[in-house]
C-alpha cells in the first residue's frame, strides 16, 4: 500500500502502465488477468479506490459495536460463472492456501447442500406449496412470447408490458423476483436474458438447489484472497483517491486518455499518461450512495448528489454517445432502490426457531420470502461462522425488502423509516415468533438507492461496450457495460467485462470462456417445460 502523493514513489508511479479506477471485483479481476494472462508486472498496475475498503459491492465487516454488516451477497453457481471460476481456479484460498478458491467452494457445497423447505411463507405462516409454478395457460403463452422475442422487438419495454397482472401473483414470479430482485417495471430485455442465462435454474426454483455459497462472506472468501494475490505480485493499491476526470484527446475519430486528475485527502494532482498506458474505469455503481442505519435508527436516504459517484461517467459520456447514457440508470431512485439488513444474534433462539419452523439447518435453506409482506421481505440464514473473526456465541443472517417505501404489515411505517429494532419486529410478526427470540440481537439496516439500477429499461447504446469502437486506451468495466451474452447483477458480469476489456486492449490471444448455453440443452428445455406445467 502506498500514498499516491509520496514523492519518493513518484518514479514508480511514472512507469505505471495500467490504471484501474474503482476497487471492486471488476478492477481486481482485471488486474489479475493482466498479470496472469498478459504477463504484466504487478508494479506496473495501479488501482484507485475512492471509498475503502476494497471489494466494492462485495463488502462485509464487523462494526465497532461488535455487530456485523454487509450490503448483500450475490448469488453463485458452479454451473455458470465461467470467467469467475476460470480466474478463481488460480487464486489460493484464504483459509486453505493449498487449495484454490474454486476447489474450496466446491468442497464446501458438497458438505452444505441447498434444498429450501420453506421457500415461500404466506401471511398465515403457512409454507406455500412451491412444487407448482402456479401458471395459467395465459401465463405460459405470455412468458414464452417474451423469452422468445428478439431484443430488437422488446426494445426498452417493461416486463409488465408483456405479462398480465395475474402473472405477478404466481409462485414462479414470487420466487424469481425475490431470488434476482426484478420488479414488474424493470427491463423486459434483462428479464429475457435472465430466463435464457439461468434456464437450468428454472426446474429447481422451488428449492434453489443450484445456488452455491462461499465458505465465508464473499468479501472474506473472494475479495481478500484475490487482493492478497495481487499484493504478492506487487500491484499498487491507492485508497481514498478519487479520480475526478480523465482527459481525452481525439485524433482521427479515436479517443485517447492522456491524463488522470485525482483528489486525495483534499489535495489535487494528476498523472500524465504515456501513449501505451491503459485505463480501466468502473462506470456507475449499484451500491453508490448507500447508508447504514443502526438498531435504533433508520439509515439516511442519500442520493448521487451526496456521493457524486456518477459524475465521472457523466463527464466522459457528454458528447460521446458511444460511452453510454448514465442518466438512464441513475435518475429514478424509487424504481431502483431496496433496503437490506444484517442481524447479529447473540443467542441461538432465532436460529433454533427458524430450523424448527423451516426444517432447514442454517446454510441449507437459501431464501425464505414472505409472499404477503408489504415490504416483500426475504431472509437467508448462512452456515456459521460467516466471518472468520466471528465469536462462537454469535450467529448472523441477512435479509432485504424490495418495497422499502411501503408501510409494514406489523409496523405502521415504511421500511425506509424503520430502525433495525422495528425491522425485527416486522419479521417476528410474519413468523409469529415472540420478540424474545431477538433478545440481545442487533439489526443494521442499509439503504441502497441504485441497487437495481442495472435493470432499468434501456435502449441499445445506453450501456457502453467494454472497449468502445472509438476508444484507443480507455475501457469500461462493471455492471453498466454491454455484454449481449450475459446477465447483469452477478459477480460473473463484472469479471467477464474485465476479461473482455483487458484481452481486447492488450490483444491477448486466449479464448474467453463462453457462456454455457443451457437454453439450448434439450434436457434443460424438457425439464423446464415439465416444471411450467406442474
Amino acid at each position: 500500500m502506498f500514498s499516491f502523493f509520496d514523492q519518493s514513489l513518484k518514479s514508480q508511479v511514472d512507469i505505471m502502465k495500467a490504471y484501474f479506477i474503482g476497487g471492486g471485483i471488476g478492477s481486481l479481476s482485471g488486474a489479475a488477468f493482466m498479470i496472469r494472462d498478459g504477463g504484466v508486472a504487478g508494479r506496473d498496475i495501479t488501482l484507485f479506490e475512492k471509498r475503502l475498503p476494497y471489494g466494492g459491492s462485495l463488502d462485509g465487516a464487523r462494526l465497532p459495536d461488535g455487530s456485523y454488516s454487509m450490503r448483500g451477497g450475490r448469488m453463485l453457481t458452479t454451473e455458470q460463472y465461467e470467467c469467475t471460476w476460470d480466474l478463481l481456479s488460480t487464486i489460493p484460498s484464504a483459509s486453505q492456501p493449498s487449495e484454490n478458491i474454486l476447489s474450496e467452494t466446491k468442497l464446501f457445497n458438497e458438505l452444505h447442500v441447498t434444498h429450501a423447505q420453506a421457500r415461500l411463507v404466506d401471511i398465515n405462516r403457512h409454507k406455500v406449496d412451491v412444487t407448482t409454478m402456479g401458471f395459467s395457460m395465459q401465463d405460459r403463452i405470455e412468458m414464452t412470447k417474451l423469452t422468445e422475442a428478439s431484443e430488437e422487438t422488446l426494445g426498452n419495454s417493461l416486463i409488465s408490458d408483456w405479462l398480465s397482472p395475474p402473472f405477478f401473483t404466481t409462485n414462479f414470479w414470487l420466487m424469481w423476483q425475490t431470488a434476482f430482485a426484478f420488479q414488474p417495471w424493470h427491463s423486459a430485455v434483462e428479464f429475457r436474458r435472465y430466463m435464457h442465462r439461468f434456464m437450468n435454474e428454472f426446474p429447481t426454483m422451488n428449492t434453489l438447489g443450484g445456488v452455491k455459497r462461499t465458505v465465508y462472506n464473499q468479501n472474506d472468501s473472494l475479495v481478500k484472497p484475490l487482493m492478497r494475490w495481487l499484493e504478492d505480485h506487487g500491484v499498487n493499491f491507492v485508497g481514498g483517491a478519487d479520480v475526478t476526470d480523465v482527459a481525452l484527446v481525439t485524433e482521427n475519430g479515436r479517443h485517447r486518455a492522456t491524463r488522470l486528475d485525482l483528489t486525495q485527502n483534499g489535495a489535487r494532482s494528476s498523472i500524465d499518461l504515456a501513449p501505451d498506458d491503459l485505463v480501466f474505469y468502473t462506470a456507475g455503481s449499484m451500491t453508490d450512495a448507500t447508508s447504514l442505519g443502526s438498531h435504533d435508527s433508520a439509515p439516511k436516504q442519500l442520493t448521487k448528489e451526496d456521493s457524486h459517484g456518477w459524475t465521472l461517467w457523466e463527464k466522459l459520456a457528454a458528447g460521446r454517445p458511444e460511452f453510454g447514457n448514465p442518466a438512464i440508470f441513475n435518475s429514478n431512485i424509487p424504481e431502483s432502490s431496496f433496503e437490506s439488513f444484517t442481524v447479529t444474534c447473540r443467542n441461538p433462539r432465532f436460529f433454533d426457531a427458524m430450523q424448527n419452523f423451516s426444517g432447514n439447518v442454517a446454510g441449507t435453506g437459501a431464501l425464505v420470502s414472505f409472499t404477503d409482506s408489504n415490504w416483500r421481505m426475504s431472509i437467508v440464514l448462512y452456515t456459521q461462522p460467516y466471518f472468520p473473526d466471528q465469536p462462537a456465541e454469535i450467529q448472523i443472517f441477512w435479509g432485504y425488502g424490495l418495497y422499502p417505501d411501503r408501510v409494514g404489515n406489523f409496523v405502521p411505517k415504511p421500511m425506509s423509516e424503520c430502525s433495525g429494532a422495528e425491522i425485527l419486529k416486522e419479521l417476528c410478526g410474519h413468523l409469529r415468533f415472540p420478540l424474545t427470540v431477538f433478545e440481545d440481537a442487533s439489526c443494521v439496516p442499509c439503504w441502497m438507492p441504485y441497487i437495481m439500477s442495472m435493470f432499468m429499461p434501456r435502449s441499445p447504446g445506453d450501456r457502453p461496450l467494454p472497449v468502445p469502437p472509438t476508444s484507443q486506451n480507455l475501457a469500461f468495466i462493471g455492471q453498466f457495460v454491454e455484454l449481449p451474452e450475459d446477465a447483469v447483477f452477478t459477480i460473473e458480469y463484472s469479471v467477464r467485462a474485465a476479461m473482455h476489456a483487458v484481452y481486447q486492449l492488450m490483444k491477448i490471444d486466449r479464448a474467453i470462456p463462453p457462456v454455457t448455453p443451457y437454453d439450448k440443452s434439450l434436457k434443460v428445455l424438457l425439464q423446464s417445460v415439465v416444471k411450467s406445467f406442474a
Side-chain angles (χ1 to χ4, degrees):
M1 309 289 281
F2 71 93
S3 168
F4 168 69
F5 296 100
D6 186 342
Q7 294 301 308
S8 67
L9 293 171
K10 185 174 185 301
S11 60
Q12 183 184 22
V13 174
D14 286 342
I15 64 171
M16 287 292 102
K17 298 298 182 186
Y19 301 88
F20 287 85
I21 303 172
I25 190 66
S27 289
L28 298 174
S29 301
F33 290 135
M34 294 194 80
I35 295 169
R36 191 194 72 175
D37 303 329
V40 177
R43 64 178 179 274
D44 293 337
I45 301 172
T46 300
L47 191 150
F48 299 104
E49 171 55 44
K50 179 180 178 180
R51 290 185 175 85
L52 298 175
Y54 297 95
S57 301
L58 300 182
D59 66 338
R62 190 176 187 180
L63 302 179
D65 67 354
S67 301
Y68 288 83
S69 176
M70 51 197 168
R71 287 178 284 198
R74 306 286 74 77
M75 188 186 85
L76 288 176
T77 75
T78 47
E79 290 76 21
Q80 287 109 337
Y81 288 34
E82 299 84 0
C83 295
T84 302
W85 299 125
D86 176 87
L87 172 63
L88 297 181
S89 65
T90 61
I91 305 299
S93 156
S95 57
Q96 301 182 57
S98 61
E99 294 281 344
N100 62 59
I101 298 175
L102 173 58
S103 61
E104 174 194 57
T105 303
K106 284 186 172 181
L107 177 60
F108 180 79
N109 284 278
E110 289 172 2
L111 300 174
H112 305 276
V113 178
T114 299
H115 188 86
Q117 299 183 64
R119 179 65 187 87
L120 299 180
V121 177
D122 68 16
I123 195 66
N124 297 312
R125 196 175 176 256
H126 173 68
K127 290 184 281 188
V128 177
D129 177 11
V130 289
T131 57
T132 172
M133 295 291 99
F135 290 139
S136 67
M137 187 55 69
Q138 180 180 356
D139 295 328
R140 298 185 188 99
I141 292 171
E142 289 179 347
M143 191 165 72
T144 299
K145 286 182 178 179
L146 190 163
T147 56
E148 294 306 313
S150 67
E151 294 196 357
E152 291 73 21
T153 299
L154 295 174
N156 62 358
S157 62
L158 316 183
I159 299 172
S160 58
D161 291 335
W162 292 80
L163 302 171
S164 301
F167 176 87
F168 299 105
T169 64
T170 63
N171 286 346
F172 167 79
W173 173 254
L174 294 171
M175 291 187 287
W176 194 267
Q177 179 192 37
T178 52
F180 298 118
F182 274 107
Q183 298 282 24
W185 53 80
H186 285 158
S187 166
V189 167
E190 294 300 337
F191 181 80
R192 177 189 182 276
R193 288 191 184 185
Y194 259 75
M195 289 301 299
H196 284 269
R197 183 68 157 114
F198 295 104
M199 189 167 289
N200 65 312
E201 304 296 335
F202 182 89
T204 58
M205 279 303 298
N206 57 313
T207 66
L208 289 174
V211 173
K212 303 299 190 294
R213 303 288 180 192
T214 49
V215 175
Y216 297 113
N217 65 86
Q218 291 170 349
N219 187 272
D220 282 298
S221 288
L222 302 181
V223 172
K224 287 182 179 177
L226 180 53
M227 280 194 63
R228 184 175 305 154
W229 188 89
L230 293 172
E231 289 171 338
D232 289 345
H233 282 79
V235 171
N236 304 290
F237 289 88
V238 186
D242 181 15
V243 178
T244 57
D245 202 3
V246 179
L248 298 170
V249 297
T250 305
E251 299 174 349
N252 301 319
R254 300 267 290 171
H255 307 301
R256 181 170 66 86
T258 60
R259 188 185 72 251
L260 302 181
D261 294 333
L262 303 96
T263 300
Q264 187 183 45
N265 298 325
R268 297 179 180 179
S269 191
S270 62
I271 300 174
D272 291 324
L273 303 176
D276 293 333
D277 288 349
L278 305 177
V279 178
F280 300 86
Y281 168 50
T282 303
S285 170
M286 63 183 182
T287 49
D288 182 59
T290 59
S291 58
L292 297 183
S294 70
H295 192 68
D296 301 312
S297 63
K300 295 181 180 179
Q301 295 190 37
L302 304 180
T303 71
K304 71 187 184 80
E305 298 304 320
D306 299 296
S307 67
H308 304 286
W310 300 82
T311 304
L312 179 55
W313 188 12
E314 291 170 337
K315 286 182 180 180
L316 292 172
R320 304 181 187 95
E322 68 274 29
F323 285 3
N325 184 5
I328 291 295
F329 307 102
N330 65 22
S331 301
N332 197 336
I333 288 176
E335 293 187 0
S336 67
S337 58
F338 70 59
E339 186 168 325
S340 70
F341 55 94
T342 309
V343 183
T344 303
C345 299
R346 295 178 176 83
N347 64 61
R349 294 175 193 166
F350 178 75
F351 271 64
D352 289 348
M354 277 302 297
Q355 180 173 331
N356 291 334
F357 166 68
S358 68
N360 281 114
V361 175
T364 68
L367 283 173
V368 176
S369 300
F370 301 97
T371 61
D372 300 297
S373 166
N374 290 346
W375 298 348
R376 193 55 54 83
M377 179 190 281
S378 299
I379 61 171
V380 55
L381 276 62
Y382 305 110
T383 303
Q384 305 295 306
Y386 201 54
F387 288 80
D389 66 348
Q390 184 177 324
E393 69 276 10
I394 281 180
Q395 295 169 305
I396 296 165
F397 73 94
W398 178 87
Y400 80 110
L402 278 169
Y403 300 124
D405 58 334
R406 298 182 181 178
V407 173
N409 301 75
F410 301 93
V411 176
K413 60 200 302 188
M415 184 183 189
S416 59
E417 298 178 9
C418 286
S419 66
E422 290 168 322
I423 290 173
L424 294 185
K425 181 178 180 181
E426 179 78 6
L427 176 58
C428 282
H430 285 287
L431 287 167
R432 303 300 194 271
F433 286 172
L435 284 173
T436 52
V437 298
F438 287 124
E439 187 177 0
D440 297 326
S442 55
C443 175
V444 179
C446 177
W447 163 252
M448 293 179 283
Y450 300 109
I451 190 63
M452 297 182 289
S453 55
M454 309 83 60
F455 289 159
M456 295 301 290
R458 57 179 177 79
S459 300
D462 288 335
R463 301 196 304 210
L465 294 171
V467 181
T470 59
S471 179
Q472 183 175 327
N473 65 339
L474 170 65
F476 292 84
I477 58 178
Q479 294 289 308
F480 296 91
V481 302
E482 177 61 16
L483 298 175
E485 72 276 20
D486 212 345
V488 293
F489 212 0
T490 63
I491 294 172
E492 172 68 8
Y493 203 85
S494 291
V495 177
R496 183 175 290 275
M499 202 174 202
H500 273 279
V502 169
Y503 281 27
Q504 188 170 341
L505 284 186
M506 294 193 66
K507 298 178 173 60
I508 294 175
D509 185 18
R510 180 179 185 268
I512 293 176
V515 167
T516 307
Y518 286 109
D519 58 339
K520 302 295 192 299
S521 165
L522 292 178
K523 179 181 178 181
V524 170
L525 289 170
L526 179 60
Q527 289 175 335
S528 297
V529 169
V530 170
K531 190 69 175 180
S532 71
F533 279 88

